[in-house]
Amino acid sequence: MNDSLFQKNLAALPSSLADAVQNPPNTMNALDLNSKNSETKISYELTKSKTGDPTLELDGVWIHSRFDPKKEAERFATELPHDGSERIYLLFGAGLGYIIPFLMERKNITTIWMEPNSFFIRESFRIFDFSKSFLEGKLILITGEGMEDQLSEAVKGKGTHPISFVPHRGSWQWKEDEYLRLKYTAEQMFHKKDVNLATLTRFEKIWAKNICYNLPELSKFRPVSDLFGIAKEISIVVCGAGPSLSESIPEIIKFRKQFLLLAVDTAVPILTSFGAEPDLIFSVDPQALNSQYLEDYSGEAILVFDPTSTYISLRLEKGPNKGFVTSSPFPLIGLLERTGSDEIGSVPFGGSVSTNAASLATLMGAKSVYLVGQDLSFTKGLAHSKGAVLEERLNYLESRKFRREKHNYKQLFALPRKQVKGNQEEIYITNEKMLIFKKWFEDHAKENPWINLTRFGAKLEGIPHSEFSNEFSNDEFETKNQTNLVQSVRNQIHSLLQNEISFFNQDQLVSEIKSTTEALLNFVTTVKRGLTVSRRIYNQIQKNQINPKTFSEDIKQMDSIDEQVSGKKGLNEILSLGIQRVILTITEGYDDHLSVEEKENAQLGVAKKSLLLYEGLYESVRTTKRMLTKSLYRML
């Protein structure tokens, strides 16, 4: 075997990936069959096929043909779709790599090779020279830890390329479970990416609007970092609004004094209707409907508020109007952050308010964090817990042709239905969106002291399942001790909000907003010029009426404008939140804005993307300036 070829291939890989190939992790998902440290030691020896090419037999399974492995690979490659357009082949295993050279001959093809068993990679590196393909990006290897993240990075910028899943027959016959897991990983990653992109493009303008409109109220809040580490000696129950929540209410009430209750906003009406008062309410959702969970609330609970959550919640006649604000990944929050006396504090985001709440409980330092109402399934055929606001709103919508049962049915079938096991091996119906949240909890289980008290619903792997009676004491002395500790923490939290010294400097915030709106006013002139010139360039290309002299002048002018715009980094970051769909069109290839003509004509497609960028920027400049001006008037 050729060791120089092996080293050449390794040198073409990123150092971390090369290390994973040479020193695979000691797990069942990445077996090093020659290593004495691997969990399963398997001896193997390459043999020559009838044609003299190396082949391999493992556990009675021929990974490649024992007669002619190259011909076998070529025959399989011809069956894969290829029409000359951009396409991705996603290989779930490739054995010794015989199929890869045939795929590399094709134009406009990117091949991604996912391989959990590193010995296959090492042996293939001694047979074939993949170095040029690796360096050109035509071949991408995925192995070792974090395969889902690696795959996500590999397909970045190729959002519209069709993808062909290509399982390697020999590898699957040998270890079907391992390679099937790769397929599940890929399916999950693509679905998660689609959900995230759909969320981003759906809520881009709402998030920007909410942050702008929330600034006056949030300037009176405390930073969520004040809560970090405050609950070290006590337990926190994180309450979601899953269908089984109503069945856990009696136990929540029975042991209520022994823990701090952190509820998501959707669970508040259910809890309070039974007299279970939360201590903290977490609000994240940007939609106006979520304000209705809080509109009649008159208790003492304190709000933990994401800046992108609906601004209506902070303007209710009733409802919590004091609390803690979290940071945000969106640059607009910088207007508020720069006026603070310290860091606001970030809470890990898993796509759901329940994931945020669980993360906050951990950051608060609780000795135990209990999850309740986290069904992550349609328990007993219900989409929401009985008493949820969304359900109660149907009282006003019901008619002869629209019943609440019909709405519940639509919720159950809005996304493809999936099955998931419960804690007693029972089967529940769920959907792909909830499976994303389920995996988030499971992925973060090791570093978090979570215990699942949810009565029914999906089993959370790696998170112990228990009952209230096993976790909280009936002993009078112990109950009194815990009650005193919880009350002490509760008092500390309330005292933080009584601090007379404001965390945020409101005069400075007014100044920040003023300077930003003035900068936007000046910036809009440049952006409008860019819009005019990009539209002129596009029209010339589309009508095929290019005047060489004027076209050249327009291109030079466009380059100058592009340089001016790109130089406004701070403003561009602020404006980017409102034009995510356009950014994805340009950077990720999500070209749903492009017509067939624009896709076929590369020059026209580039001109259209430039036009889309300046249209988006122009709209974002105007709307952001208008929204910030409104908030400024409310603060003066």
Side-chain angles (χ1 to χ4, degrees), residues 19-21 23-32 38 116 118 143-145:
D19 185 61
V21 172
N23 305 294
N26 183 25
T27 68
M28 291 295 291
N29 288 340
L31 300 177
D32 181 349
S38 45
S118 61
T143 191
E145 298 291 336

Side-chain angles (χ1 to χ4, degrees), residues 20-141:
V21 172
Q22 291 183 290
N23 305 294
N26 183 25
T27 68
M28 291 295 291
N29 288 340
L31 300 177
D32 181 349
L33 303 186
N34 290 330
S35 171
K36 294 180 180 180
N37 296 324
S38 45
E39 291 184 13
T40 304
K41 185 177 179 181
I42 302 175
S43 61
Y44 70 91
E45 185 177 347
L46 299 186
T47 59
K48 286 188 177 182
S49 64
K50 293 287 186 181
T51 58
D53 295 311
T55 188
L56 179 61
E57 181 187 11
L58 291 172
D59 301 328
V61 175
W62 285 97
I63 303 300
H64 297 284
S65 170
R66 49 184 160 171
F67 301 105
D68 191 344
K70 286 183 178 176
K71 187 174 182 180
E72 175 192 49
E74 183 180 19
R75 185 166 56 245
F76 183 53
T78 59
E79 296 175 2
L80 298 179
H82 179 232
D83 57 6
S85 62
E86 298 276 3
R87 178 177 287 275
I88 295 173
Y89 293 144
L90 181 53
L91 310 185
F92 302 122
L96 301 178
Y98 278 104
I99 194 174
I100 294 175
F102 297 106
L103 303 182
M104 294 301 97
E105 294 173 356
R106 299 182 174 183
K107 292 182 179 180
N108 299 323
I109 292 295
T110 300
T111 300
I112 301 174
W113 177 13
M114 296 184 74
E115 181 54 70
N117 295 293
S118 61
F119 79 98
F120 279 134
I121 303 170
R122 293 196 296 274
E123 296 297 350
S124 71
F125 279 12
R126 294 185 173 96
I127 302 172
F128 300 103
D129 184 358
F130 298 140
S131 59
K132 183 180 178 184
S133 298
F134 282 137
L135 293 171
E136 292 176 347
K138 289 193 66 177
L139 177 62
I140 300 172
L141 177 65

Side-chain angles (χ1 to χ4, degrees), residues 172 232 261 292 321 455 498 503 517 553 613:
W172 280 58
K232 290 180 179 178
L261 184 56
Q292 296 171 359
N321 55 10
R455 289 286 298 274
Q498 295 170 2
F503 178 81
T517 53
E553 290 174 355
L613 174 62

Side-chain angles (χ1 to χ4, degrees), residues 526-574:
T526 305
V527 172
K528 191 172 183 179
R529 252 190 325 122
L531 177 59
T532 302
V533 177
S534 61
R535 185 173 289 145
R536 195 160 59 228
I537 292 172
Y538 176 83
N539 289 335
Q540 289 183 67
I541 298 173
Q542 185 185 42
K543 296 174 182 177
N544 198 22
Q545 297 177 351
I546 297 177
N547 183 313
K549 183 179 180 180
T550 58
F551 188 78
S552 177
E553 290 174 355
D554 284 340
I555 293 295
K556 288 180 180 179
Q557 190 176 357
M558 198 74 248
D559 288 342
S560 174
I561 294 170
D562 285 343
E563 188 174 343
Q564 293 176 53
V565 169
S566 61
K568 303 289 185 179
K569 186 177 178 182
L571 286 180
N572 284 324
E573 288 177 347
I574 288 175

